[in-house]
């Protein structure tokens, strides 16, 4: 009996230490009273320094603030780069990531995603003469995109021939100079580029059918079910009370240069019919 008691005496502190080490992220957020929310350090209109205040401002910054309020805690913004945004969550330096984050197979294996609060679309921009064509008409045709992006993946997915460049401006120029019959980018960027081209006397259009769908959600560390449930319920409440719509319209809505209309509501990722990109 003494041996058994002694074993328990040794095991109990170890068990308590392990339990403490495995405290979930949501409990940590509640205990410190603060949400560490990672955002871009300089990507307009999502999160970039305000020219006047030098404080970060943008759609994702406002979403972080709204999420923190909904969860009943203060907000700590954590600026990050495009390249480091997955690592900042996977390593636990931030609690959540709001950085226009699209679900892909690779990212889904690295971190977990909230229910999407909108669905981005990869769209095909063409010269106005081709505006009434369908995606099927562009199979095996040269289509430009930025190298290594989901835009490039979508061209392959739809049977086109990708012609890639190091930056979006060069890929867009290929369409203007007829080195490609189309250029693929997300809807928001596409709308802005069409407007810019029109000022230069070049009339472009966007094919109505999307090249690919990219659900945009909040990133979190894997195996944190309590945090996921809290974020999803908070997003649903923010959707129902109009908070997300207000933030959307302020930064990328119909009255902004991006002229984006929010069509989808917060919904489970599993309810969307789409083919995830790699």
């Amino acid at each position: 009996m003494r041996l058994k008691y002694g074993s328990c005496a040794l095991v109990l502190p170890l068990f308590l230490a392990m339990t403490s080490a495995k405290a979930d992220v949501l409990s940590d957020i509640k205990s410190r009273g603060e949400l560490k929310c990672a955002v871009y350090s300089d990507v307009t209109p999502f999160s970039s320094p305000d020219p006047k205040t030098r404080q970060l401002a943008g759609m994702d910054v406002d979403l972080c603030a709204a999420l923190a309020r909904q969860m009943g805690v203060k907000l700590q913004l954590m600026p990050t780069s495009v390249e480091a945004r997955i690592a900042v969550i996977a390593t636990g330096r931030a609690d959540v990531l709001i950085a226009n984050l699209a679900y892909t197979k690779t990212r889904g294996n690295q971190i977990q995603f909230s229910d999407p609060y909108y669905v981005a679309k990869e769209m095909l921009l063409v010269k106005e003469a081709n505006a009434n064509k369908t995606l099927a008409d562009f199979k095996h045709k040269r289509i430009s995109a930025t190298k290594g992006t989901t835009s490039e993946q979508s061209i392959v997915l739809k049977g086109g021939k990708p012609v890639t460049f190091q930056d979006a401006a060069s890929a867009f120029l290929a369409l203007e100079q007829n080195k490609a019959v189309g250029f693929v980018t997300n809807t928001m960027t596409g709308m802005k580029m069409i407007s810019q081209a029109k000022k230069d006397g070049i009339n472009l259009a966007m094919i109505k059918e999307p090249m690919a769908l990219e659900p945009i959600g909040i990133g979190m560390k894997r195996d944190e079910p309590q945090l996921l449930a809290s974020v999803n319920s908070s997003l649903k409440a923010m959707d129902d009370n109009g908070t997300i719509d207000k933030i959307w319209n302020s930064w990328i809505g119909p009255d902004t240069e991006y002229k984006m209309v929010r069509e989808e509501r917060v919904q489970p990722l599993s309810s969307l019919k789409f083919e995830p990109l790699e």
Side-chain angles (χ1 to χ4, degrees):
M1 289 296 291
R2 289 179 193 170
L3 180 59
K4 192 171 183 180
Y5 175 80
S7 299
C8 289
L10 290 172
V11 170
L12 185 57
L14 180 61
F15 173 77
L16 291 174
M18 292 174 64
T19 302
S20 176
K22 290 187 176 181
D24 65 274
V25 174
L26 181 61
S27 295
D28 290 342
I29 294 169
K30 295 294 186 182
S31 64
R32 81 172 90 97
E34 185 178 68
L35 177 70
K36 296 179 181 178
C37 188
V39 293
Y40 287 130
S41 57
D42 194 3
V43 178
T44 305
F46 301 106
S47 176
S48 60
D50 182 281
K52 295 180 180 178
T53 67
R54 304 310 301 166
Q55 299 297 311
L56 288 176
M59 178 175 168
D60 291 345
V61 174
D62 285 357
L63 285 170
C64 280
L67 178 63
R69 283 195 303 271
Q70 189 65 43
M71 295 176 70
V73 294
K74 295 180 181 179
L75 171 66
Q76 180 186 348
L77 289 175
M78 301 192 68
T80 188
S81 65
V82 175
E83 296 78 12
R85 60 181 176 166
I86 300 299
V88 78
I89 287 297
T91 58
R93 294 199 300 274
D95 303 317
V96 298
L97 169 68
I98 303 183
N100 196 42
L101 187 69
Y103 178 87
T104 65
K105 292 178 183 177
T106 299
R107 291 172 187 163
N109 288 328
Q110 296 171 324
I111 61 175
Q112 68 180 353
F113 280 72
S114 73
D115 294 338
Y117 51 91
Y118 85 96
V119 180
K121 300 173 179 67
E122 291 294 330
M123 303 298 293
L124 178 63
L125 272 62
V126 297
K127 293 290 182 67
E128 194 174 50
N130 292 324
N132 293 324
K133 292 185 177 181
T134 66
L135 291 185
D137 296 316
F138 294 91
K139 278 192 175 181
H140 311 301
K141 300 290 180 66
R142 289 169 58 89
I143 300 173
S144 65
T146 307
K147 186 176 181 62
T149 61
T150 50
S151 297
E152 180 184 357
Q153 287 185 42
S154 72
I155 296 171
V156 176
L157 190 67
K158 294 298 182 182
K161 182 179 179 182
V163 181
T164 59
F165 298 84
Q166 290 301 318
D167 56 77
S170 300
F172 183 64
L173 188 61
L175 168 61
E176 289 188 323
Q177 296 179 342
N178 295 314
K179 295 178 180 178
V181 297
F183 162 67
V184 178
T185 187
N186 61 75
T187 308
M188 189 177 71
T189 303
M191 294 292 288
K192 188 175 180 181
M193 287 182 161
I194 288 173
S195 296
Q196 290 175 341
K198 193 169 185 177
K199 293 177 183 178
D200 297 331
I202 301 173
N203 293 322
L204 302 177
M206 190 179 288
I207 300 299
K208 292 181 179 179
E209 183 186 351
M211 295 283 285
L213 300 180
E214 296 182 292
I216 306 296
I218 297 174
M220 292 157 279
K221 199 170 186 179
R222 289 177 62 87
D223 302 318
E224 292 289 341
Q226 292 87 356
L227 178 60
L228 178 62
S230 179
V231 169
N232 281 340
S233 64
S234 295
L235 277 175
K236 183 66 169 62
M238 290 159 55
D239 195 24
D240 291 344
N241 65 24
T243 297
I244 297 178
D245 284 334
K246 185 177 180 180
I247 294 171
W248 174 285
N249 290 334
S250 175
W251 291 101
I252 62 173
D255 294 330
T256 68
E257 63 180 311
Y258 303 101
K259 303 185 186 309
M260 294 281 289
V261 176
R262 184 169 179 249
E263 298 174 337
E264 297 86 10
R265 315 311 298 179
V266 172
Q267 59 188 300
L269 189 65
S270 58
S271 70
L272 293 174
K273 295 180 179 178
F274 76 107
E275 184 172 348
L277 297 174
E278 292 295 333

